[in-house]
Amino acid sequence: MTDPTREAATQDPATPNGAEPVDSVEHAARTPELDQPYRELGLADDEYERIREILGRRPTEAELAMYSVMWSEHCSYKSSKTHLKYFGETTTDEMRAKMLAGIGENAGVVDIGDGWAVTFKVESHNHPSYVEPYQGAATGVGGIVRDIMAMGARPVAVADPLRFGPADAADTRRVLPGVVEGVGGYGNCLGLPNIGGEVVFDESYARNPLVNAMCVGVLKSDELQLAHATGTGNKVILFGARTGLDGIGGVSVLASETFSGDETGSGRKKLPSVQVGDPFTEKVLIECCLELYGSDLVVGVQDLGGAGLSCATSELAAAGDGGMRIDLDTVPLRAEGMNPAEILSSESQERMCAIVRPEDVDSFMAVCRKWDVTATVIGEVTDEEHLRIDWRGECVVDVPPRTVADEGPVYQRPVRRPAEQDLIAADDANTLSRPATAAELRETVLRMAASPNLCSREWVTGQYDHYVRGNTVLAQPSDGGVLRVDEETDRGIAVATDCNARYTRLDPYEGARLALAEAYRNVAVTGSKPVAVTNCLNFGSAEDPGVMWQFQQSVRGLADAAAELGIPVTGGNVSFYNQTGGDPILPTPVAGVLGVIDDVTARIPTGIGAAPGESLLLLGDTREEFGGSEWSRVVHGHLGGTPPRVDLARERLLADVLGIGSRDGLISAAHDLSEGGLAQALVEMSLIGETGARIVLPEEADPFVWLFAESAGRVAVSVPRGAELKFTELCSARGLPCSKIGVVDDESRALEIQGVGDIPLSELREAWEGTLPRLFG
Amino acid sequence: MARVVVDVMPKQEILDPQGQAVANALPRQGFEGISEVRQGKRFELEVDDGVDDDTLARIAENFLANPVIEDWAVRRVES
């Protein structure tokens, strides 16, 4: 295994046999011609030249390590920055009104009322999870949890949108169980309920699974912490786990390049040094941080994630007074003989960095001792506008921190709409052959229910703890997870993440709008009011103009949709280079939506049968829309045509009606219609509620279209006896289409669909629940 | 028949939470002077004489150890 950073340490001709003299700033100035392995560290020729210009000399090994990780795609957003600006440009002051922290902070923070604020964010940990599924997924959870802690919040829930190759592929059988165990292992040990997420299978994710991790945190709105190093003379304290050799170069080498192992022919195997996390250390770190915040002992705080100390020190300094001095000899190490570059780029988990007033250092240390957390003063804030790092008495880093953290390269990558988009759009899914007879329709309902993307996720989510902490109101298989925040007022929040990447493949602009519309709807069907958006944008290579076009269109779609919905995008994450060989993954802009519910006891569940004599109503319009549908995939292996039309004014109206319906007790169950259409929604409402129903579609309806089309902006609701008139009047007064489609039948143990036939719940359950255990059990 | 021992240890550069927990517990139990603990696992295999070293290495690499995060060593011992 070749570790580029270590190579850097031994290539200096003056360092035979590892007896390493220090590549100090002074040494660098004296040896301008020394060859440096910047390309191996992922820097382009012109990037390296720019570093030399900034410094007026060659960088030291340690500086090179810092710049290379901080200027990597993962940390610098160099290919995406120019597009991401659009999020800011489309956010109005009105949308910003409730936002306490937004894009650029560790995570977005939103005021939810009653003095409470909520912070939430999604991050990708895709490549590490392919290499080492358990630890990759586990440290993905650990990393996002620390982002939330860095905002001053208590983490209260996690959720994981996951995507894998075909369900029956051998590599999926290797990756999926490890990822699921890793998510559960870390989250369960931390005592955090997992309340949402997704599991999606698609050919394009073979050998490039997507492991996105979401965390939600809660804080009092005046307890917000920021990542800045202010106040000359304030101390820089590193606390948490010791620093070892884990994950060195992980960010620059792994996350920013196509994972191709030896296949490039370069002979340099990009095997990562993976990280192993320790959730018990993190749990103690959470409690320690919260006590430190509560005692007002922290001026600024930053978690250590990708790029480790390089990132934490340069970002804290860049966001603060601009100067910092660090003494690397004080950093507690786990491995012997680590050089400055290694200490600075180590991605050892469970570490945080705080800025503390000198008079508070003793109290800070006392709190850390109480929690058995190692804490060390490693430096102080200065007014020198320079980040200066010493090691063994010599200065090894002397850089303007903003040039590391904020002023990285920005690329205008070529963007080109691929010509094949027109061919895909012309390949209309509406012309595929359809089930014609009742028996064929019945068979299709069952086949769809058992298909890998629609079947029960219980095998996966059953490995996660949903109810720890005692505030979970709704979790899987509900459309959105709901948590109680205030135990006195019962105010709560809801979260959901979604992306149908097949739609995004057909039309990245409309597909991204559909992703946000679905996440918004999934929050709304719980009875919550959607208030903010985050995202995790997973794409192929940034150097592929077609991929960049998908990216640009998706960003615009998400931003425009958020503006139309009137809710701000508070943060996000970009993951490029998700591809195997030349084939990128489906463009996968995962949208996450946060909602607020005034009274969690009014939340709307998914299963029918809670109240006697319910009627079933379908809200919204059903059209002949099969482009990108699950039916076209399951039955025909087809992906073509155009995705369903999206009407965001309709989504807002739907959310308003669901909110009123929940508040006034007019709705006893609700389920969003998405993949698989009405048929799948009815299957799930019946099975989750363990109650049968009789469905009579409107006379003019084509049963196939009504059952399987994936038109957006639709929700199936059950309405208790006595509330039906009031609810339908509410819909008609507001102009929301509402069709009666049947009744819940407490006596029946079957889903009876007129024109299709009766399907006993036992038969449905076997189809829906059998698939994942058969594949992975 | 021979006895083969396969030792599997977390790689040196990788965090070993179990070993660390043991190391942290030792002073609490009154045992001083131990600065580092790493915890691995040991497999004992009764092996027919026909099984060659290559096969044993394949077993260790692909089945007993997770080579991404663990090192392994195979040795034959007298039985």
Side-chain angles (χ1 to χ4, degrees):
Chain A
M1 181 165 114
T2 308
D3 184 321
T5 315
R6 311 205 91 193
E7 214 168 60
T10 51
Q11 271 192 359
D12 186 335
T15 63
N17 306 326
E20 298 170 18
V22 184
D23 185 23
S24 63
V25 168
E26 196 192 19
H27 182 248
R30 270 191 286 116
T31 53
E33 300 314 319
L34 184 77
D35 254 357
Q36 293 192 283
Y38 62 88
R39 283 198 201 93
E40 286 80 350
L41 291 169
L43 285 168
D45 293 354
D46 54 339
E47 291 172 347
Y48 178 67
E49 271 316 307
R50 231 191 101 206
I51 297 168
R52 293 188 72 125
E53 259 169 55
I54 289 168
L55 299 176
R57 56 174 167 78
R58 75 161 174 89
T60 65
E61 282 164 14
E63 288 167 342
L64 187 63
M66 282 185 93
Y67 278 105
S68 70
V69 286
M70 290 302 291
W71 285 12
S72 68
E73 188 66 59
H74 184 85
C75 294
S76 74
Y77 292 78
K78 59 188 167 191
S79 304
S80 54
K81 229 178 208 169
T82 178
H83 301 289
L84 297 176
K85 277 191 300 199
Y86 192 67
F87 283 123
E89 291 162 14
T90 45
T91 308
T92 61
D93 287 345
E94 194 190 341
M95 286 157 71
R96 248 182 224 114
K98 301 260 175 189
M99 204 161 91
L100 304 177
I103 294 170
E105 300 295 341
N106 281 312
V109 182
V110 183
D111 188 334
I112 64 158
D114 291 352
W116 291 101
V118 170
T119 175
F120 73 129
K121 193 182 182 190
V122 191
E123 265 190 358
S124 61
H125 224 218
N126 303 339
H127 287 157
S129 303
Y130 174 68
V131 176
E132 166 44 43
Y134 183 98
Q135 298 296 346
T139 53
V141 174
I144 192 67
V145 166
R146 283 192 302 283
D147 269 317
I148 294 305
M149 282 157 64
M151 300 311 296
R154 172 180 282 283
V156 292
V158 291
D160 291 78
L162 308 175
R163 284 168 173 76
F164 302 98
D168 55 0
D171 201 52
T172 304
R173 275 201 292 278
R174 172 185 76 90
V175 175
L176 182 142
V179 165
V180 170
E181 268 181 57
V183 167
Y186 205 99
N188 294 354
C189 288
L190 277 186
L192 290 177
N194 192 310
I195 60 166
E198 303 159 78
V199 178
V200 178
F201 299 98
D202 185 273
E203 181 69 51
S204 82
Y205 307 116
R207 300 177 62 201
N208 200 123
L210 301 186
V211 176
N212 295 174
M214 176 191 250
C215 182
V216 184
V218 168
L219 64 159
K220 283 288 185 182
S221 42
D222 55 1
E223 288 173 349
L224 184 64
Q225 296 287 345
L226 291 175
H228 57 196
T230 51
T232 300
N234 281 345
K235 300 297 179 191
V236 181
I237 298 183
L238 180 65
F239 62 116
R242 286 182 296 157
T243 299
L245 284 166
D246 356 35
I248 288 182
V251 168
S252 63
V253 180
L254 256 195
S256 303
E257 286 187 51
T258 306
F259 187 77
S260 50
D262 246 342
E263 290 155 7
T264 53
S266 70
R268 186 168 64 86
K269 218 173 176 182
K270 280 184 218 146
L271 267 187
S273 25
V274 297
Q275 310 129 37
V276 169
D278 179 6
F280 299 109
T281 301
E282 180 124 322
K283 171 64 181 167
V284 173
L285 198 53
I286 293 174
E287 302 304 330
C288 179
C289 278
L290 290 168
E291 184 170 342
L292 292 168
Y293 302 155
S295 313
D296 196 21
L297 295 173
V298 170
V299 176
V301 66
Q302 169 79 297
D303 60 299
L304 273 73
L309 263 180
S310 294
C311 179
T313 52
S314 62
E315 287 194 351
L316 280 166
D321 295 348
M324 190 183 281
R325 265 174 182 260
I326 299 289
D327 181 2
L328 274 194
D329 297 302
T330 56
V331 174
L333 301 179
R334 213 180 65 225
E336 277 174 40
M338 288 180 72
N339 67 35
E342 289 169 335
I343 299 169
L344 285 168
S345 32
S346 161
E347 294 185 1
S348 290
Q349 302 290 298
E350 293 97 21
R351 297 178 299 161
M352 304 282 287
C353 193
I355 306 300
V356 180
R357 286 175 293 265
E359 62 271 26
D360 290 334
V361 168
D362 287 346
S363 312
F364 187 102
M365 293 298 178
V367 171
C368 289
R369 263 196 308 279
K370 170 181 160 189
W371 291 102
D372 210 1
V373 166
T374 306
T376 316
V377 174
I378 61 165
E380 64 178 41
V381 178
T382 68
D383 55 4
E384 293 170 341
E385 301 268 312
H386 268 243
L387 171 58
R388 190 192 147 118
I389 300 179
D390 291 341
W391 188 64
R392 298 195 179 162
E394 294 194 67
C395 176
V396 292
V397 171
D398 187 3
V399 296
R402 288 188 186 90
T403 66
V404 180
D406 303 332
E407 292 158 16
V410 175
Y411 288 136
Q412 306 290 335
R413 302 273 193 202
V415 171
R416 193 168 53 244
R417 180 177 185 271
E420 59 166 10
Q421 284 298 134
D422 293 325
L423 296 178
I424 299 170
D427 184 10
D428 190 354
N430 290 358
T431 61
L432 297 168
S433 75
R434 302 172 175 188
T437 64
E440 283 171 6
L441 283 166
R442 185 181 187 281
E443 197 270 333
T444 307
V445 172
L446 283 162
R447 184 173 167 192
M448 296 280 287
S451 68
N453 282 312
L454 298 180
C455 69
S456 166
R457 267 64 192 123
E458 175 61 27
W459 186 87
V460 170
T461 59
Q463 300 185 43
Y464 306 153
D465 197 333
H466 305 166
Y467 296 107
V468 62
R469 295 184 58 76
N471 279 325
T472 305
V473 178
L474 290 175
Q476 306 89 341
S478 166
D479 289 316
V482 176
L483 281 181
R484 179 172 55 194
V485 169
D486 190 315
E487 294 182 16
E488 276 162 25
T489 65
D490 281 334
R491 177 176 293 269
I493 53 167
V495 287
T497 65
D498 281 291
C499 177
N500 185 331
R502 284 163 60 81
Y503 296 165
T504 336
R505 177 73 179 90
L506 299 181
D507 183 336
Y509 182 82
E510 292 298 332
R513 289 158 59 84
L514 282 160
L516 180 52
E518 190 185 341
Y520 181 93
R521 201 183 316 126
N522 278 334
V523 161
V525 294
T526 66
S528 305
K529 180 181 166 56
V531 294
V533 183
T534 190
N535 61 61
C536 190
L537 309 173
N538 306 273
F539 286 79
S541 166
E543 284 142 62
D544 176 339
V547 167
M548 280 316 283
W549 173 77
Q550 293 174 334
F551 181 77
Q552 174 212 50
Q553 293 294 306
S554 297
V555 166
R556 293 191 163 251
L558 275 179
D560 288 347
E564 278 183 59
L565 293 168
I567 55 177
V569 177
T570 62
N573 175 253
V574 178
S575 171
F576 279 125
Y577 301 98
N578 291 290
Q579 57 184 67
T580 312
D583 299 327
I585 58 162
L586 295 178
T588 313
V590 172
V593 170
L594 172 75
V596 177
I597 180 163
D598 294 337
D599 177 3
V600 293
T601 61
R603 91 279 177 269
I604 310 173
T606 309
I608 53 174
E614 295 164 313
S615 296
L616 280 164
L617 308 173
L618 177 61
L619 310 179
D621 289 310
T622 302
R623 301 182 203 92
E624 197 168 338
E625 293 178 309
F626 289 96
S629 68
E630 206 53 37
W631 171 77
S632 70
R633 182 214 306 254
V634 170
V635 176
H636 295 282
H638 179 273
L639 175 56
T642 49
R645 203 185 315 161
V646 53
D647 176 352
L648 296 168
R650 169 62 60 79
E651 300 286 356
R652 288 181 83 152
L653 176 60
L654 200 49
D656 287 347
V657 167
L658 289 163
I660 296 167
S662 132
R663 191 193 64 203
D664 295 351
L666 303 178
I667 302 175
S668 47
H671 195 7
D672 143 73
L673 267 60
S674 54
E675 286 86 356
L678 177 63
Q680 184 65 21
L682 293 172
V683 166
E684 290 173 6
M685 292 175 90
S686 294
L687 290 179
I688 293 167
E690 297 180 6
T691 307
R694 270 176 290 140
I695 306 301
V696 182
L697 298 175
E699 261 177 45
E700 72 284 3
D702 172 338
F704 169 74
V705 172
W706 271 66
L707 288 173
F708 297 107
E710 294 186 4
S711 301
R714 295 184 303 160
V715 168
V717 297
S718 72
V719 177
R721 196 197 322 259
E724 188 176 340
L725 186 62
K726 206 168 167 197
F727 184 76
T728 51
E729 277 173 356
L730 169 70
C731 292
S732 61
R734 293 184 166 245
L736 179 66
C738 171
S739 325
K740 181 152 182 176
I741 54 167
V743 291
V744 175
D745 185 346
D746 306 325
E747 303 300 307
S748 161
R749 303 298 301 160
L751 184 60
E752 304 167 34
I753 308 174
Q754 198 179 63
V756 174
D758 298 357
I759 314 177
L761 294 188
S762 56
E763 192 181 352
L764 271 180
R765 189 171 295 283
E766 205 180 299
W768 190 57
E769 291 182 353
T771 307
L772 292 189
R774 205 160 39 243
L775 287 164
F776 302 104
Chain B
M1 289 287 277
R3 172 165 291 183
V4 168
V5 172
V6 182
D7 289 312
V8 176
M9 290 296 291
K11 282 192 172 167
Q12 201 53 47
E13 69 269 26
I14 276 178
L15 178 70
D16 169 19
Q18 292 184 96
Q20 204 157 293
V22 174
N24 293 340
L26 284 169
R28 288 202 297 272
Q29 301 296 319
F31 299 104
E32 297 296 336
I34 293 151
S35 57
E36 172 99 27
V37 177
R38 293 187 74 75
Q39 179 177 333
K41 50 197 166 191
R42 168 187 167 111
F43 298 87
E44 294 179 355
L45 287 66
E46 300 302 326
V47 174
D48 287 348
D49 295 335
V51 179
D52 62 13
D53 288 354
D54 261 9
T55 308
L56 290 173
R58 282 213 312 281
I59 291 170
E61 168 92 13
N62 299 323
F63 188 64
L64 301 182
N66 175 355
V68 180
I69 54 174
E70 291 170 330
D71 291 327
W72 51 267
V74 176
R75 60 197 155 91
R76 292 175 187 266
V77 295
E78 301 302 318
S79 52

